[in-house]
Amino acid sequence: MKNEILTRIQNAIVGSPQSSPAQLAKSLNVNEACVLMALGPEQVCWMPKELAQELLEDLPTWGPLTIIVQLADNVFEFKGDFPKGKPGHGYYNLYTKGDGLHGHLLLESYQYIGLVSRPLRGRMSHCICFFDGEGNTIFKVYLGRDKQGELLAEQVERFELLKQRLNETA
């Protein structure tokens, strides 16, 4: 990333600390991965793309999560358990018995996976962001919250252990 872009992003983060990375990216005309790359390691831990399937196979055991897909300034949210999946026909296929989230993920298109820990709308937030080779967001998985809006402690623990494991192998 060029120094001038990095400086613009860092200044925007300081000037608007409550803005989401997606909002900052849009205002600066860069992709969201660029914004995350400008954050320090205390806010973002990068996961090797080769671990995408392993992570996707583990997420169904985490309990209720929020999956976000943003497209053309629209935001789609799904709250619930992440579906199980299996490889087939060149995709990692998500399936749920009955209603729920389904999909077909082209894992070879995944280039960056960021584990992000930073405040969002005044509350601490943790999410896993999946990006393509150009830094465009494919989708995000946010940790779940209870009825009082507090993060689910078991999920936070798993998220932090995952970051710790990644930092130890880096």
Side-chain angles (χ1 to χ4, degrees):
M1 183 177 350
K2 294 181 181 177
N3 285 339
E4 65 186 58
I5 295 172
L6 180 61
T7 301
R8 284 180 42 226
I9 293 169
Q10 289 172 335
N11 289 339
I13 292 167
V14 170
S16 187
Q18 292 300 317
S19 292
S20 72
Q23 291 168 324
L24 291 169
K26 184 173 182 176
S27 71
L28 295 168
N29 200 29
V30 298
N31 60 53
E32 192 171 351
C34 282
V35 172
L36 294 182
M37 288 176 190
L39 297 174
E42 69 284 350
Q43 292 187 42
V44 181
C45 176
W46 294 98
M47 172 180 264
K49 65 183 180 179
E50 294 80 16
L51 297 178
Q53 183 172 328
E54 180 183 325
L55 175 61
L56 293 168
E57 289 171 346
D58 190 45
L59 286 176
T61 68
W62 286 42
L65 299 160
T66 300
I67 292 84
I68 303 281
V69 177
Q70 292 173 273
L71 184 62
D73 295 327
N74 295 278
V75 180
F76 295 88
E77 290 186 23
F78 172 81
K79 293 184 181 194
D81 292 344
F82 196 87
K84 292 181 180 180
K86 62 183 176 184
H89 306 288
Y91 289 87
Y92 185 76
N93 300 290
L94 302 176
Y95 59 90
T96 303
K97 292 182 179 178
D99 294 335
L101 180 66
H102 297 260
H104 311 282
L105 309 178
L106 186 61
L107 298 186
E108 68 186 41
S109 70
Y110 292 30
Q111 187 64 37
Y112 311 104
I113 304 169
L115 283 71
V116 182
S117 298
R118 68 187 310 266
L120 181 63
R121 294 185 185 93
R123 298 188 301 180
M124 192 58 183
S125 179
H126 301 285
C127 74
I128 303 165
C129 300
F130 297 85
F131 299 98
D132 69 15
E134 296 188 14
N136 299 309
T137 306
I138 299 171
F139 69 98
K140 303 173 193 175
V141 178
Y142 281 85
L143 300 191
R145 294 185 181 273
D146 63 21
K147 291 182 182 185
Q148 290 73 40
E150 298 299 320
L151 289 165
L152 299 175
E154 182 181 318
Q155 288 182 3
V156 173
E157 182 178 337
R158 291 180 82 162
F159 187 85
E160 293 298 335
L161 286 171
L162 179 58
K163 288 192 329 187
Q164 180 181 343
R165 184 182 114 208
L166 291 169
N167 286 328
E168 288 171 358
T169 60

